[in-house]
Amino acid sequence: MSGSGSSSSSRVLSCSWNGEEETRESPIRYRVGPLAYEPAVYCNCVPVRKAALWISWSNKNPGRRYLKCYRARQGGCGFIGWYEGPHDPFVQTLLIDLRDAVWELKKQRSVLKLALKEASEDHEAKKKELEDKVNRLELEKLVMRAVCACLLAILAYLLFR
């Protein structure tokens, strides 16, 4: 395991694309929890704690696992170290391409989900509008039947008097 290095959190990564700041999550779900690895590596916290195992998704170290103090987000002891060596350059490029493809698909999925939600809300509004119109027409139909019945009664009265 080499010394400390720079890598982004595997949980959340802040990126700037086209001057737009975005927060991105790991492109894949963790198959095991950050403490479910052996042999245990301990950070410098007092009392001693097992370091968390994360995955870097930075351009420099995509898919590379690293250890970090489990309490790093609350201050922690500052412990950080690589769990394994660097990837082959071809694998590194491949992982970056796959990561970016997954992020793009997730972004498109979010856009489509939002469009579907908006279309569904629009559909519900139009459905309500049409139901109201049908109810008004049904009422008009009843009124017209009543008017016709009254006119027929008046006509019958005038014809047979």
Side-chain angles (χ1 to χ4, degrees), residues 1-149:
M1 171 173 60
S2 53
S4 67
S6 68
S7 69
S8 56
S9 169
S10 58
R11 282 191 177 176
V12 176
L13 175 64
S14 291
C15 299
S16 181
W17 305 100
N18 301 327
E20 231 176 85
E21 187 70 21
E22 276 186 50
T23 301
R24 297 190 176 191
E25 295 180 1
S26 173
I28 59 167
R29 288 164 60 188
Y30 280 85
R31 289 172 174 79
V32 295
L35 299 177
Y37 70 92
E38 291 296 329
V41 175
Y42 297 95
C43 66
N44 303 320
C45 283
V46 177
V48 175
R49 294 175 186 259
K50 188 174 184 180
L53 181 64
W54 301 112
I55 302 172
S56 169
W57 289 108
S58 68
N59 285 340
K60 189 174 180 180
N61 295 293
R64 190 171 173 198
R65 296 183 296 173
Y66 65 97
L67 297 158
K68 191 171 186 178
C69 174
Y70 191 75
R71 296 184 59 239
R73 291 187 179 186
Q74 294 85 31
C77 67
F79 174 83
I80 188 166
W82 293 114
Y83 187 72
E84 58 206 353
H87 294 299
D88 174 85
F90 172 77
V91 172
Q92 183 172 344
T93 303
L94 183 63
L95 285 169
I96 291 170
D97 291 344
L98 292 172
R99 176 205 63 192
D100 291 346
V102 168
W103 281 344
E104 182 59 32
L105 289 170
K106 284 183 176 187
K107 186 177 181 180
Q108 289 175 8
R109 179 178 179 227
S110 294
V111 168
L112 290 172
K113 282 176 98 174
L114 180 61
L116 180 62
K117 181 182 177 197
E118 290 172 354
S120 178
E121 289 170 354
D122 187 44
H123 172 75
E124 287 299 318
K126 287 180 180 180
K127 180 180 172 185
K128 174 81 171 103
E129 183 181 319
L130 288 173
E131 287 171 349
D132 291 345
K133 190 172 186 175
V134 166
N135 290 337
R136 279 193 313 274
L137 290 172
E138 286 292 330
L139 183 60
E140 284 180 27
K141 183 172 139 182
L142 287 174
V143 169
M144 290 300 203
R145 282 185 179 168
V147 167
C148 286

